[in-house]
Amino acid sequence: MMCHLPLDPTLGGAKVYIENAAAMRELGVTVDLIGPETYATEVLIYKDENYRIEAFAPLIKNYIQTNGSSYDVIEYENTYLPYKRSEIEYNGILVCRSVLLVNHFDKLRLPTNSFKAKLKNIYYSLTGKVPYQRRQELSLICLNHADIINVPNNLDREKIISLGVDPEKIITAPYGYFSEKLNSMPLLDNFNSKEVSFIGSFDPRKGSIEFPKIISKVVEMNPEVIFNLLGCKGRHTSEEQILSLFPKSIHKNINIKMHFDPAELCDLLKKTSIGIFPSHLESFGFGLLELMLRGIPTVGYDVPGPSDLLIADLKTKRGDWQAIVERICRLISDQSFYHNCRLTSIQHIREFSWRNSAELQLNSYTKYKENFK
């Protein structure tokens, strides 16, 4: 498995590779997890992603050509190996994975308060160009020349098929939980506590533009509600920066924790009654998984990643923050609705285990190898 990010589990993309490798090893598969620490210099590793994609591509190809004979399967990140199959000189199975499918941006425009970003969106509309156009082109090359495409959600699959890629080579293998973690995790039932929690960086893709409107409206209708924003570090580097985006009148209703150790999460969520996850695009949604595994009914947008995890009653159209407010307020006031959503969420989220995912992947790779002997 060739990861495009440093092998640090606090990085969402790297976490996917690290946990997938661990799940495969539990099935008895020998896995070498290769990060850029192995094939690139430290200077390159921390460059802008557009630069890294172009710089890493020949390095990854060279690594495969030099070491590929040791492996039956090589998995790599979409956009990072944009070559025809014949150019790579590898006889095993090439699996293209995408931890965030850039091709969604041909239609997706993130909300923004930035005048410069708004001008960019107008430019895209007038010219027909799209964000990350070069990366989308590289993505399509990777997708077309891979033997197998491994996606974590059904909307990614639909998007790739719409690009003209052969659907027969796409497998949908969602991420998930490890059984030992689930067994040690308490189920919460906090209807009366009126705390709403979000886990994720505070940026426009994750809903930062809508959050001030959502929290203001919910607090207007339920003044006692507390919102916990957990793991917010990213575009913003301090609690003060984030609080400044909200009206001062609701600062008392907001708790912010820029960073947390995973071991702290049970304590941070112990009073949480409702989850919120208004992300516009994910490959999966690990923050959402953490909330739902604890029995916390969670509201979010019907978008790639969360669409597969969220239950129907708590999914809303992307960008419809008023519907998010309506669902949260109903969960606060309607105990029967709350408990029905909670029980349905618990049952649904347990379908997403790393073991199931690894078995599906391994079966697909084995079948492909048998068919093309």
Side-chain angles (χ1 to χ4, degrees):
M1 293 183 184
M2 301 203 66
C3 184
H4 58 304
L5 295 167
L7 298 179
D8 176 353
T10 65
L11 301 174
K15 176 183 171 75
V16 171
Y17 282 83
I18 293 167
E19 294 195 353
N20 191 44
M24 285 287 194
R25 288 170 183 143
E26 286 187 0
L27 296 180
V29 179
T30 299
V31 179
D32 288 341
L33 182 55
I34 310 297
E37 302 93 335
T38 300
Y39 57 80
T41 65
E42 188 172 351
V43 172
L44 286 179
I45 291 173
Y46 295 101
K47 290 279 189 179
D48 165 79
E49 184 166 18
N50 289 325
Y51 183 92
R52 283 189 288 115
I53 289 171
E54 302 282 357
F56 281 10
L59 299 176
I60 291 173
K61 183 177 76 166
N62 180 66
Y63 186 91
I64 292 172
Q65 290 173 339
T66 303
N67 302 282
S69 60
S70 301
Y71 303 104
D72 297 311
V73 179
I74 292 179
E75 182 178 298
Y76 59 92
E77 183 63 21
N78 187 29
T79 73
Y80 281 81
L81 194 64
Y83 300 100
K84 292 180 181 178
R85 189 68 172 77
S86 58
E87 293 179 75
I88 299 171
E89 300 174 9
Y90 170 66
N91 294 322
I93 303 171
L94 284 177
V95 179
C96 178
R97 173 185 288 281
S98 180
V99 297
L100 192 70
L101 185 64
V102 70
N103 302 87
H104 287 295
F105 283 101
D106 66 351
K107 299 286 193 299
L108 174 63
R109 301 293 180 270
L110 296 177
T112 180
N113 290 329
S114 161
F115 180 70
K116 184 177 179 181
K118 288 177 181 178
L119 284 179
K120 272 189 179 180
N121 286 339
I122 293 171
Y123 167 77
Y124 293 137
S125 299
L126 292 176
T127 63
K129 293 184 181 294
V130 295
Y132 311 112
Q133 185 149 356
R134 172 62 176 162
R135 283 160 66 177
Q136 293 196 47
E137 292 166 356
L138 295 175
S139 169
L140 195 54
I141 294 171
C142 289
L143 296 170
N144 278 318
H145 291 285
D147 299 315
I148 294 175
I149 300 166
N150 188 335
V151 299
N153 68 75
N154 287 307
L155 292 181
D156 276 8
R157 176 185 173 82
E158 290 177 16
K159 182 64 183 180
I160 292 171
I161 292 172
S162 77
L163 298 172
V165 176
D166 180 4
E168 292 298 317
K169 67 178 187 178
I170 305 172
I171 63 171
T172 306
Y175 317 147
Y177 60 85
F178 288 101
S179 56
E180 61 269 22
K181 179 174 181 178
L182 180 66
N183 294 336
S184 65
M185 188 181 292
L187 280 174
L188 304 175
D189 189 357
N190 290 330
F191 173 73
N192 293 315
S193 72
K194 294 182 174 51
E195 284 198 12
V196 183
S197 291
F198 164 75
I199 304 171
S201 57
F202 197 79
D203 58 59
R205 181 169 66 83
K206 301 278 191 178
S208 67
I209 303 300
E210 297 98 305
F211 260 118
K213 294 178 282 191
I214 292 169
I215 296 180
S216 294
K217 196 64 179 177
V218 172
V219 170
E220 178 186 323
M221 302 170 73
N222 302 272
E224 71 280 19
V225 169
I226 299 296
F227 278 79
N228 303 307
L229 307 179
L230 307 174
C232 295
K233 189 174 181 181
R235 176 171 296 196
H236 302 282
T237 57
S238 71
E239 296 176 16
E240 292 74 22
Q241 281 182 331
I242 294 176
L243 272 179
S244 71
L245 303 173
F246 294 87
K248 286 186 178 180
S249 60
I250 62 170
H251 284 192
K252 64 183 182 299
N253 298 89
I254 303 171
N255 294 323
I256 298 171
K257 193 167 182 65
M258 300 302 293
H259 176 77
F260 61 84
D261 186 285
E264 297 179 84
L265 198 52
C266 279
D267 190 55
L268 292 171
L269 294 174
K270 65 184 179 183
K271 294 183 179 179
T272 294
S273 53
I274 299 165
I276 178 173
F277 201 77
S279 178
H280 290 257
L281 178 65
E282 299 284 334
S283 62
F284 185 67
F286 281 115
L288 176 57
L289 178 74
E290 291 285 355
L291 292 163
M292 293 182 67
L293 283 176
R294 290 170 168 80
I296 300 170
T298 303
V299 184
Y301 294 145
D302 186 5
V303 298
S307 178
D308 290 355
L309 276 70
L310 293 163
I311 64 169
D313 283 341
L314 299 181
K315 273 193 278 199
T316 76
K317 183 180 177 182
R318 186 179 74 82
D320 189 352
W321 65 268
Q322 293 97 332
I324 294 274
V325 170
E326 185 275 328
R327 300 296 197 287
I328 291 174
C329 289
R330 187 176 177 192
L331 286 167
I332 290 171
S333 63
D334 186 338
Q335 189 166 6
S336 176
F337 178 68
Y338 179 91
H339 284 298
N340 285 338
C341 287
R342 177 179 175 273
L343 292 174
T344 305
S345 295
I346 291 170
Q347 184 177 19
H348 175 60
I349 202 64
R350 294 188 175 216
E351 298 172 11
F352 297 91
S353 76
W354 268 120
R355 186 172 187 86
N356 290 344
S357 179
E359 287 177 346
L360 188 156
Q361 294 172 72
L362 185 57
N363 289 340
S364 298
Y365 302 162
T366 302
K367 182 178 178 181
Y368 182 93
K369 187 176 182 179
E370 290 173 350
N371 289 342
F372 289 89
K373 280 182 178 177

